[in-house]
Amino acid sequence: MQGVRIIPVLKGLRSFATTTMRQAEFNVTVPWGEIRGQVWGPAHGRPVLCLHGWADNSGTFNRLIPLLPNEWRFVAIDFPGHGLSSHRSAGCFYPFTLYVADVRRVIEALQWKRFSIIGHSMGGNVAGMFSALYPEMVEALVLLDSYGFFPTKLNSMMNYIKQGINQQVEYEIESNERKEKVYTYDKAKQRLMVANPSLSEESTEILLERAIREVKGGVVFNRDFRINLRNIAMVTPEHCLYMQSLIQARVMLLLASEGMNKQFPPPDGDALQKGWIEQKSTIVEVEGDHHVHLNKPEKAAHVITDFLQSLTPKQQAKL
């Protein structure tokens, strides 16, 4: 591959019916394997990229997207190490910055020049960083129970980086002895619900469609254990506010009343929210928990639709 630029292409489309529109499976070739995901809507519809949260997968949008305009084109990816996407190569970490690079690869494959993003939780943080790096590409940004960034205090960074490196080394030392744990389907569902208390039983089953695979004696989880290790590429509150100032997209924070702010409030969340207000962003709170878009998608769907449809005709012409 030296001296050769490889552009990944879409392949292997498989269509099947959903409630209101057609849904298809896709994969994008990357140097270590493939990034998998799902698409809905016509090929030339308004482009919207959907990014899931940590340890979830593209199934998190399976109930929301059918409630959004069916003439739009939605692409929801499984981040590497999640869902049906390939794990990163041996020795690699899973920092948010690499997820941003993954998004750029997918956009290159899709050949999208300008599009909107819906990002949930960690996906919102990836979307925020992408929108700061590529402001000319992002028309509108919907942050689902996310502030778009997750800052780390400067005086904590060195300890966290050391912890992440140590965890990675320990993982590699033990990898030859580690065996995948096999579950029954019910036990796998129970484990996922314990790890994600905000998930309903139905939502858990939707995520499990891409989160597990069958093996002899039961099922195993697909995700790469390394996604659980400490992130070693962090940003300070000052970095976050600076990146926030670079974003040109119209932004909406769709916050859940019983979501992130009560479960795991981000450091300096008030400062980030103030920054969004100063940039005249839209902030809406809906009744629900961190997975409101999956558990009760009707609570979020009309808010997202109204926001994205509020673009002026001149703005829509740029899409």
Side-chain angles (χ1 to χ4, degrees), residues 171-200:
Y171 174 84
E172 292 166 358
I173 291 172
E174 298 170 358
S175 61
N176 291 333
E177 300 175 2
R178 186 179 294 105
K179 295 182 179 179
E180 288 184 313
K181 188 170 182 179
V182 179
Y183 298 84
T184 65
Y185 178 84
D186 287 340
K187 288 293 185 181
K189 183 168 74 171
Q190 181 182 11
R191 180 191 170 190
L192 191 57
M193 293 184 73
V194 169
N196 297 272
S198 65
L199 288 174
S200 68

Side-chain angles (χ1 to χ4, degrees), residues 26-175:
F26 80 96
N27 44 351
V28 174
T29 301
V30 291
W32 62 90
E34 60 184 11
I35 295 176
R36 294 279 295 272
Q38 303 178 82
V39 296
W40 292 257
H44 299 292
R46 176 181 178 173
V48 182
L49 182 70
C50 302
L51 304 177
H52 66 77
W54 173 79
D56 289 347
N57 55 63
S58 62
T60 196
F61 298 105
N62 280 17
R63 298 187 68 207
L64 174 65
I65 289 174
L67 300 181
L68 301 178
N70 58 17
E71 68 271 18
W72 295 356
R73 179 69 161 182
F74 298 95
V75 173
I77 68 171
D78 294 339
F79 280 121
H82 297 72
L84 302 181
S85 289
S86 301
H87 297 182
R88 296 202 191 282
S89 302
C92 287
F93 291 81
Y94 278 88
F96 285 8
T97 45
L98 287 189
Y99 291 134
V100 176
D102 299 327
V103 170
R104 184 63 184 84
R105 290 182 174 99
V106 170
I107 295 306
E108 187 70 22
L110 293 168
Q111 291 295 290
W112 285 358
K113 303 302 180 185
R114 194 161 170 82
F115 55 96
S116 297
I117 304 179
I118 300 174
H120 173 240
S121 195
M122 181 191 78
N125 300 338
V126 174
M129 190 175 292
F130 184 94
S131 300
L133 287 169
Y134 300 98
E136 73 285 357
M137 287 188 172
V138 184
E139 178 74 26
L141 175 60
V142 176
L143 301 172
L144 290 176
D145 214 35
S146 169
Y147 283 143
F149 303 98
F150 200 90
T152 302
K153 295 289 188 180
L154 183 60
N155 59 6
S156 300
M157 277 192 174
M158 297 306 289
N159 285 336
Y160 287 157
I161 293 172
K162 180 179 179 181
Q163 182 182 2
I165 292 173
N166 287 344
Q167 288 176 346
Q168 179 85 359
V169 171
E170 290 166 8
Y171 174 84
E172 292 166 358
I173 291 172
E174 298 170 358
S175 61

